[in-house]
Amino acid sequence: MSANENRYETAVARYFEAWNADGPEALAKAVAAAWTADGGYTDPLADVRGHDAIAAVIAAAHEQFPGFVFRPAGPVDGHHDIARFTWELVNPTDGSAPVAGSDVITLTEDARIHTVSGFLDRLPAPE
């Protein structure tokens, strides 16, 4: 694995640690480890900057899907300071994944995320 490939893998692993953090303190710590202080997160439902706002988006996802976990749905691909990957939001009880998407991230030299551009590829039907 090249140094850049390791950088991409490290950044994405931190990203999933943040999305799967349990509790406010663990979430705040994981977001700070994954993103730069001025980092951003944008998807069709959110457009935020800064650790507190990113943590709030993640906490809202946990409120909507309690007990679910985010997991990678394929390999990480990257070049230069950009990486992309797919993910699923999984119900550990039955293995269903009602939400899936793909993200493109920009990175700093130390493998911290500066921006996330997220795309939602699968959503549950509205009730």
Side-chain angles (χ1 to χ4, degrees), residues 43-96:
D43 71 14
L45 306 174
D47 185 9
V48 299
R49 286 220 167 276
H51 292 168
D52 290 343
I54 293 166
V57 167
I58 294 171
H62 285 276
E63 286 177 20
Q64 187 174 1
F65 296 95
F68 283 58
V69 294
F70 286 86
R71 72 173 179 204
V76 176
D77 183 28
H79 63 81
H80 297 86
D81 293 331
I82 303 167
R84 67 179 177 172
F85 55 95
T86 56
W87 53 266
E88 295 178 315
L89 181 60
V90 179
N91 180 337
T93 303
D94 65 12
S96 65

Side-chain angles (χ1 to χ4, degrees), residues 82-127:
I82 303 167
R84 67 179 177 172
F85 55 95
T86 56
W87 53 266
E88 295 178 315
L89 181 60
V90 179
N91 180 337
T93 303
D94 65 12
S96 65
V99 182
S102 55
D103 291 350
V104 176
I105 60 177
T106 60
L107 303 175
T108 60
E109 278 300 313
D110 64 352
R112 290 180 72 210
I113 298 168
H114 182 62
T115 62
V116 176
S117 298
F119 297 85
L120 300 173
D121 302 326
R122 181 174 60 239
L123 291 171
E127 293 181 10

